[in-house]
Amino acid sequence: MSRGLPVPNDNLGELEGYHSPQVRVSVRLNTNESPYPPPREFVDALAAAVEAEPFNRYPDRGYKALRSALAAVHGVRPEQVFCANGSNEVLQTLFLTYGGAGRAAAVFEPTYAMHSQIGRVTGTTMAIGQRADDFTLGIDEVRRVLDESSPSITFLCSPNNPTGRIESKDLVDEVLATAPGLVVVDEAYGQFASWSALSMVTDDVPLVVTRTYSKTWSMAGMRLGYLVGPASLVAELDARVLPYHLNALTQAAGLLALQFTDDMESRVSALVAERERLAAALEKLPVQTWPSEANFVLFRPLERDGAEVWQELVDRSVLVRNCDTWPRLQGCLRVTIGTPEEDDAFLGALEEVLS
Ligand SMILES: *Cc1c(COP(=O)(O)O)cnc(C)c1O
């Protein structure tokens, strides 16, 4: 006799999981990965580290070498750095620590869908604010949402995925002055942008900045992200995360990557230049765009249905992100900056589809 599974908790409600279809195409510009692999010397150094690793033993639970190196990069103390398997796991650990049943967290749509998704999984009530029509965020709307919901976590995303806009220092200052709890600035695309909130982090301010190796470091496959925040907050996260959550290989890779910072920075500069070229080319087509400081550009075909354009691009072996069903983004598509060749393939296909 088969026995049924218990009814799962209803934290997710009717919400669907957050998935980007992994379609087989030759030009993949849908998940904001780097089009460039990390340098050969990095892979060689990592292979040597694998050879030397005592895999029968648990890894360093406190990942001290990686933590100290990241602290040095950002001019903070190691106790102010927390790492996890992708910045999504960093966000999840924040929710496990400061969210949960009976608590609220605030986001401002349109923004990164995982903030709300992880919040709901952890039983946190999501308070949803709205950006203006041009996708800037006004402090009056922030105040309205914070007054209404008194969230224990307030999320900003700068540059904001999927709109590409950054938040100004003035806005982050005002949000910090207004928020009743923790303020999280998700800087997954921080190195592409003209400004970072990292310098605002101290032990005395309820602010954390999250970063990831997935985009600028060309290491999405490795799954490593981190935050910089007050030491007392990091201690709370450390107390809740699973033991040995950061495996030995991830620790080694994150540390070794920092030896190739110059390579990372030149990849980022090349992608920023390429973003400007692609944005200028989009200006000449019948699409609406928004200014981006990240490695992607959001656009909306003016004369065609966005979902149809998405399909016709796939038919030409170009995959971009279809944002059509996301809050406030009807008809919008998001293209990740690729190599010049990939971007030309995208622009050529789009021109064809729109003509
Ligand atoms: C890609 C992305 C992340 C990161 O994810 P990882 O789990 O580090 O791969 C986090 N925040 C935003 C806004 C992103 O776009």
Side-chain angles (χ1 to χ4, degrees), residues 18 31-32 85-89 91 111-112 114-115 157-161 186-189 210-215 220 223-226 296 334:
Y18 173 79
T31 45
N32 300 342
N85 297 285
S87 56
N88 283 334
E89 195 184 52
L91 299 171
T111 191
Y112 185 48
M114 288 305 296
H115 294 160
C157 188
S158 181
N160 184 41
N161 180 6
D186 183 333
E187 289 193 359
Y189 305 95
T210 64
R211 287 269 170 119
T212 177
Y213 278 67
S214 295
K215 318 284 166 51
R223 311 305 301 129
L224 178 60
Y226 62 96
F296 55 82
R334 187 196 67 195

